[in-house]
Amino acid sequence: MKKSITDIDRSWLSGRTVVVRVDFNVPLDEGRVADDHRLTASIPTLELLSGAGARVVLLSHLGRPDGEAVPEFSLAPVAERLAELLGGPVRFIPEQHDAANVAAEVAELVDGQVALLENTRYLPGETANDPGLAASWAGLGELFVNDAFGVAHRAHASTAGLAEAMMAKGGEAVAGLLMAKELRYLEDALKNPARPFTGILGGAKISGKIGVVSAMLGRVDQLLIGGAMANTFFLAMGFDTGSSLVEEDSVDLARSLMEQGGDRLVLPVDCLVTDEISDDAVPRTVARDGVSGDDKIVDIGPETRALFSEVIRASQTILWNGPMGIFELDPFAEGTVAIARAVADACDRGALGVIGGGDSGAAVDRAGVGDRVSHVSTGGGASIKLLAGASLPGLESLTDKV
Ligand code: ADP
Ligand code: MG
């Protein structure tokens, strides 16, 4: 068990400088924040700290500027949006390179003030987990709070490195409210799930997720597989997948997972196919053994929608990661929307429904059921790693609760 911010005495926080790693890796559109879910998710931690009189120094990455100050990855628009959400000013510190200057700006903060430093990935030492860089960030404050669940699976200077550096100078490193909430939902669902427990996997990142299929099969009563991931299983079953997205290297693995899973592993029985991926395409419904030629599988079919929905509605615990099709385009969204609605229906009757993954979260919003599901995780990769039983460096590095 790790310490969290609620284990820190509120009165101790007053006047202290607290370094907080948040995950503000949000999509930008023409210099504005296009989706602020990750910002709103961090507000409880920021309000707790600021309200207690702490001086709050925020660190985050945005995109992959690869160690250089690439202007399109600046956090400046994020600082603006955050100020709107907090209803008060956020001091943006527009650089990272001159450590003495950053420290001087931080020293000017007053109690309760919030500051955001420029993108951590403007420095090459961030992803290299450079101890010197971690120590310079740790030097800015007296407590480290990691609230960046979305990067908890990475050991970077501003996550695991900073936690270690803070502890090396006698300080503590604790989980923020968002981190704690994410773990509560994901670990509760995993450790002691109410049954039936259904897992749903989909999406495009086949190689990144096929490894978790095995771990999930050991825990769930049924594992529903859709999206492009299902295509590799179709190959393993000897079906033609036409021109669909598949991962030939993983066919043997898919075959052995089918043996391991038996009846618990449930694949689509039909699919939507098209030869052209566009938003005015009119896909055809075919049985899973009826795909050929230029056909691209773009969604689960109507029979599968009904089959999957029925399993989901009868479940008490549901974990979902990855859409059932190319849901960004209207003609291929129906399968994903049907699954989102089924999860929401199950939650309405008291089931625990947890959604992991950026695209799955967007799909739940698109289906208009975001506020009916139990929890939408801010971390795709991190939640998948956790489900697979891997330890998360961002979490492991925190102070133990004694
Ligand atoms: P998440 O972000 O929820 O973890 P992924 O990033 O793994 O999910 O995958 C999401 C992407 O998978 C979406 O952009 C979607 O268009 C794509 N996808 C889903 N099904 C298919 C398919 N059958 N063929 C190609 N792409 C697909
Ligand atoms: Mg994704």
Side-chain angles (χ1 to χ4, degrees), residues 205 357-359:
K205 282 180 240 149
D359 293 299

Side-chain angles (χ1 to χ4, degrees), residues 202-206 209 226-229 231 244-245 277 296-299 320-328 336 356-361 380-381 384:
K205 282 180 240 149
I206 313 162
K209 289 181 189 173
M229 185 182 291
N231 301 348
S244 305
L245 182 60
I277 297 189
K296 293 178 185 59
I297 301 171
V298 288
D299 197 1
W320 178 21
N321 186 294
M324 297 292 102
I326 307 179
F327 75 103
E328 296 91 339
T336 303
D359 293 299
S360 317
I384 270 289

Side-chain angles (χ1 to χ4, degrees), residues 91-102:
R91 178 168 178 157
F92 183 58
I93 300 179
E95 62 132 350
Q96 280 280 10
H97 292 84
D98 182 348
N101 194 34
V102 169

Side-chain angles (χ1 to χ4, degrees), residues 27-386:
L28 298 177
D29 184 23
E30 290 178 7
R32 291 189 60 86
V33 174
D35 178 346
D36 59 17
H37 276 89
R38 284 180 165 166
L39 306 188
T40 51
S42 77
I43 298 289
T45 295
L46 305 189
E47 284 182 340
L48 183 157
L49 291 169
S50 167
R55 306 164 181 211
V56 184
V57 178
L58 302 177
L59 291 173
S60 178
H61 75 289
L62 177 81
R64 296 174 187 267
D66 292 333
E68 278 171 51
V70 183
E72 66 178 290
F73 295 116
S74 172
L75 281 168
V78 174
E80 257 174 59
R81 183 72 191 120
L82 182 64
E84 287 168 20
L85 293 169
L86 281 172
V90 170
R91 178 168 178 157
F92 183 58
I93 300 179
E95 62 132 350
Q96 280 280 10
H97 292 84
D98 182 348
N101 194 34
V102 169
E105 289 221 37
V106 167
E108 284 173 12
L109 296 177
V110 298
D111 293 0
Q113 197 177 353
V114 177
L116 173 64
L117 265 64
E118 186 53 284
N119 195 338
T120 53
R121 289 193 190 166
Y122 275 10
L123 300 178
E126 163 70 323
T127 53
N129 196 4
D130 176 60
L133 179 58
S136 95
W137 282 327
L140 296 174
E142 295 154 275
L143 172 72
F144 174 52
V145 176
N146 191 345
D147 216 15
F149 179 72
V151 283
H153 57 311
R154 310 227 185 267
H156 288 169
S158 69
T159 63
L162 177 38
E164 281 153 24
M166 185 58 82
M167 278 144 82
K169 60 172 245 193
E172 289 192 308
V174 302
L177 296 176
L178 175 61
M179 181 79 93
K181 180 179 169 197
E182 294 273 13
L183 294 170
R184 205 160 54 237
Y185 275 107
L186 290 162
E187 287 185 331
D188 281 4
L190 286 172
K191 278 194 187 135
N192 207 358
R195 297 192 180 267
F197 178 12
T198 297
I200 314 163
L201 289 174
K205 282 180 240 149
I206 313 162
S207 51
K209 289 181 189 173
I210 210 155
V212 308
V213 178
S214 178
M216 291 278 281
L217 279 173
R219 301 176 187 270
V220 299
D221 298 297
Q222 303 215 253
L223 185 61
L224 313 178
I225 295 194
M229 185 182 291
N231 301 348
T232 302
F233 287 90
F234 291 159
L235 274 188
M237 294 166 87
F239 299 148
D240 188 347
T241 52
S243 308
S244 305
L245 182 60
V246 290
E247 203 160 68
E248 311 223 355
D249 291 352
S250 299
V251 170
D252 285 340
L253 183 57
R255 202 171 286 122
S256 67
L257 289 168
M258 288 170 72
E259 270 165 33
Q260 183 198 342
D263 290 347
R264 277 174 300 140
L265 195 149
V266 185
L267 290 162
V269 290
D270 60 351
C271 20
L272 298 191
V273 297
T274 179
D275 52 12
E276 171 212 15
I277 297 189
S278 73
D279 56 12
D280 54 6
V282 183
R284 288 176 297 120
T285 301
V286 294
R288 64 185 179 187
D289 60 358
V291 181
S292 65
D294 289 336
D295 290 344
K296 293 178 185 59
I297 301 171
V298 288
D299 197 1
I300 55 174
E303 238 187 278
T304 308
R305 284 201 295 268
L307 172 76
F308 282 12
S309 297
E310 197 184 324
V311 172
I312 293 164
R313 289 200 173 92
S315 302
Q316 288 300 334
T317 306
I318 304 147
L319 278 180
W320 178 21
N321 186 294
M324 297 292 102
I326 307 179
F327 75 103
E328 296 91 339
L329 299 178
D330 281 332
F332 317 139
E334 212 171 331
T336 303
V337 168
I339 297 312
R341 292 205 177 113
V343 176
D345 288 346
C347 292
D348 286 349
R349 338 166 322 272
L352 176 73
V354 178
I355 320 291
D359 293 299
S360 317
V364 164
D365 280 338
R366 187 183 171 125
V369 298
D371 51 1
R372 288 168 58 203
V373 299
S374 314
H375 180 63
V376 180
S377 174
T378 53
S383 59
I384 270 289
K385 288 259 164 59
L386 203 64

